[in-house]
Amino acid sequence: MATHPVAERLVVTETGTTNLTRLFRPTSIAIIGASARPESLGGRVMSNLIEYSDYDGELYLVNQRGGEIAGKTCFTSAAEINAPIDVAVVVIPSQHVIAALRDCAAAGCTFAIVLSSGFGETGEDGQRAQHEMRRIADESGMRIVGPNCPGLTNLVDGIGMTFSPGHRHDNFPGPLGLATQGGGLGRNLLQSGFRGGGAAMWASVGNAVDLDVPDIIEYFTQDTRVLVIAALLEGINDGPALVAALRSAAEADKPVVALKVGRSEYGVRAVQSHTAALAGSAAVNSAVLAQYGAIEVDDVDELVDVSWLLSRAKPSEQTRIAVWGASGGALSLAADLVGQAGLTMATFSPTTTAELEKLLPDFGSVDNPVDVTASVITDPEVLRTLEIVANDPNVDLVLIPDPLDYGDSSIPISSGIAAAQKSVSTPIVPVWMSDGRGPGFQILAEARLCPPRSLTKAISAIQRWAAHGRWRATYGGAVPATKPAVCAPRRGAPLDLRTEPKAKAWLAEHGISVPSGVLVGEGMSAREAVAELGGRLVAKVVSADIAHKSDVGGVIVGVDGPNDADAARDKILENVRRLAPDRPIEGVLFEQMIGGDALEMIVGVHRDPVFGHVITVGAGGVLVEFLADVSSRLLPIDERVARDMVDSLSMRPVLDGPRGARPRDIDALIDLLVRISDLVESSADQIEEIDLNPVLVRPAGEGIVVLDALVVPSGAVA
């Protein structure tokens, strides 16, 4: 069977993804829809490539009318070109796109960028057209970006394959790799260059019929000119692909900073109408991003601030901040915000303090925060103190709150800040708090310092930067290790775990502690059956069709041993038959009533439609829905990830035993999380949901006990 011409030209990387080098650095480009009208989309693509790019490869113009445009012969279709085409930029009305893509695939185009809109975002007809696009990609091997996207921009090589009229103005090369679904917000990121930011490349995938944000992230991990990856996600179409891309970035020690749109009900609706993508669960999305070292942010400014700070310096495990400036009020506010954010103010070495005392006036401050007073405007020697502070061995970052635009008087201050940053490795973060943007601001921007727009934004960026430093210290710049399941995959009959006794027997079989119990049917003597249990008992109805037993009167606590067992059993059966008459009942489960000094928690697993099985731990019992203090991770997990989950809970200090209380058995709780992970991995295709609530966490050394267990098999509804 002959190989398709596109497949012959595609290169697959070690991770199994397509090498996108020729997409970002093409040697031949065809514009499908080239136009002589400058303000048309086809005309703008032409001018961006011919007039406002440094592209020197082959450029082919395709227009169904033929003729000439700008002195170049136009082909009537891609098939006429009869030469290798790395990228076809398609900018024609939507009704003609499918035919054009077929021509491009037949001509052996390696990549197509479809700028045209009017597809999946418009309804069923558009969705059908997108399915056809995907079929063309799958059958031919030609990879497609879009549709409904503004294109792709390679700033470091000077190639703009876009219709945007802003391309000529937004050319600020830098170390960021921008991977976005939307176009307008993506170009907003590019325009951070006006305050000193800069991107190496930007790809907006639009409706992502084929290539998606994870593919772009994967490529950025391989390009040495990209140091930090900024991702704008509206929907997540392929959870495993995103996880693989995040893993690659972590292993390459390239931070991923992500803004996920669609975290509220309103946001989800907007995403669906905009890109027709699956928004996913906000909590699960956040958990997956955190698990693989991605830094999630809340708005576009923060996306820029955090990404740029990470590109300037790798954060260490500790972040000690020095605050330096000329406004006492701004310095106090900055120090206050540092404290509120849980960050640490640096303590200067004696040498630093002595050097500051020599240069600062008596009415200044040599402690942290350092107040250089207004003398910094007139005395150039005072500016030397910034470099002294930045070189202190106890300082990891210098924050400069600048509340006013002093016009020309700001020039020496900004010049001093820029010069200091050139001579020190410690990152200096100037905050331009004024609405005035005079020459001082321009100096900071040209020095590529990208000043945050407010102190709160600066502090937020530093918080994220510091948190990533702790993540790197914990995981060595690599993704948390996952471990294979210790339990061999089940073979033969499927698991039957739909009742509590069966679920608990399964847990006990794998070393998880559950109360001793016995199942009593209607015709049995409960008194005799529970005789060996001893003590006070809990009685619960057993039915595969009743998940919430208390709601139908199916639970009685404090049963006084064998004497009350038959009466408790009969009362439960009476309640359930009255309140849930159509539900089948297998009997009543009697268990030892376990109390004492223990903390109630919840451990659960559910299958997320995008990412797969997710495990959750948090405050349990009846308070679980009110406290909402939970931590989640994608399965599988190992002991280190399980410990991170527990440590991230707001209730974590309670586990340590506050005010003289005994500390809880945290190690046993972590062991439970790992065991549940192993169980799900060994039977992943059969498990939809696991709900262990409450889980009693006893004092240190005494273990845990699962009091209630619900397991929902795949394909069942609880």
Side-chain angles (χ1 to χ4, degrees), residues 208-268:
V209 71
D210 178 24
L211 290 173
D212 204 345
V213 168
D215 298 290
I216 307 304
I217 292 174
E218 191 79 52
Y219 173 73
F220 287 160
T221 67
Q222 304 159 23
D223 195 307
T224 57
R225 298 169 298 179
V226 173
L227 301 181
V228 176
I229 301 166
L232 183 61
L233 302 165
E234 296 183 19
I236 299 173
N237 298 311
D238 188 338
L242 179 60
V243 167
L246 295 177
R247 184 193 300 276
S248 295
E251 290 171 350
D253 198 15
K254 291 190 179 183
V256 175
V257 186
L259 173 58
K260 175 65 179 71
V261 181
R263 291 188 285 178
S264 70
E265 181 182 351
Y266 297 123
V268 169

Side-chain angles (χ1 to χ4, degrees), residues 309 311-316 318-324 346 348 352 386-400 416-430 449 462 465:
L309 182 54
S311 75
R312 294 175 57 199
K314 296 282 189 185
S316 60
Q318 57 186 350
T319 301
R320 300 159 299 180
I321 300 170
V323 181
W324 181 98
F348 297 147
T352 296
L386 176 56
E387 189 173 333
I388 292 169
V389 169
N391 278 324
D392 187 287
N394 300 325
V395 172
D396 301 299
L397 180 144
V398 181
L399 178 66
I400 304 178
I417 293 171
Q421 185 63 91
K422 285 184 178 180
S423 63
V424 300
S425 58
T426 302
I428 297 172
V429 180
L449 294 179
I462 295 169
W465 185 76

Side-chain angles (χ1 to χ4, degrees), residues 435-661:
D435 287 336
R437 297 289 177 89
F441 176 85
Q442 193 59 38
I443 289 171
L444 297 177
E446 290 174 358
R448 310 308 294 268
L449 294 179
C450 199
R453 305 172 192 268
S454 71
L455 265 175
T456 54
K457 292 183 182 296
I459 294 295
S460 178
I462 295 169
Q463 272 186 301
R464 309 285 194 192
W465 185 76
H468 189 65
R470 293 190 294 272
W471 188 89
R472 290 180 74 244
T474 301
Y475 294 107
V479 70
T482 54
K483 54 183 290 185
V486 295
C487 309
R490 277 184 185 270
R491 302 190 184 279
L495 293 172
D496 181 11
L497 305 174
R498 290 207 63 191
T499 63
E500 185 176 355
K502 292 175 180 178
K504 284 183 172 176
W506 180 60
L507 296 175
E509 178 187 346
H510 293 91
I512 296 171
S513 178
V514 298
S516 298
V518 61
L519 176 62
V520 179
E522 187 170 9
M524 299 172 57
S525 169
R527 179 185 181 91
E528 294 179 5
V530 305
E532 295 184 4
L533 292 180
R536 298 177 71 79
L537 306 174
V538 177
K540 295 181 276 188
V541 68
V542 176
S543 171
D545 292 341
I546 300 176
H548 303 290
K549 308 174 187 71
S550 298
D551 294 348
V552 293
V555 178
I556 297 178
V557 299
V559 177
D560 189 13
N563 294 331
D564 292 343
D566 283 301
R569 186 264 317 276
D570 293 343
K571 181 62 175 176
I572 286 176
L573 295 178
E574 177 188 345
N575 290 340
V576 175
R577 284 170 179 156
R578 177 169 46 86
L579 297 174
D582 298 328
R583 307 293 175 89
I585 301 172
E586 296 185 19
V588 174
L589 174 65
F590 286 87
E591 292 181 331
Q592 290 178 328
M593 189 171 174
I594 299 175
D597 185 10
L599 183 67
E600 291 189 347
M601 299 193 69
I602 184 173
V603 172
V605 173
H606 78 280
R607 188 195 299 271
D608 181 79
V610 176
F611 290 103
H613 285 104
V614 175
I615 189 168
T616 297
V617 64
V622 297
L623 296 178
V624 60
E625 295 180 4
F626 298 98
L627 296 180
D629 180 19
V630 296
S631 176
S632 301
R633 295 292 186 273
L634 186 64
L635 291 181
I637 62 170
D638 61 8
E639 180 181 340
R640 184 168 47 172
V641 176
R643 193 171 297 278
D644 279 350
M645 293 177 67
V646 175
D647 287 345
S648 68
L649 294 171
S650 299
M651 65 171 293
R652 178 63 175 80
V654 179
L655 291 167
D656 288 329
R659 297 187 178 182

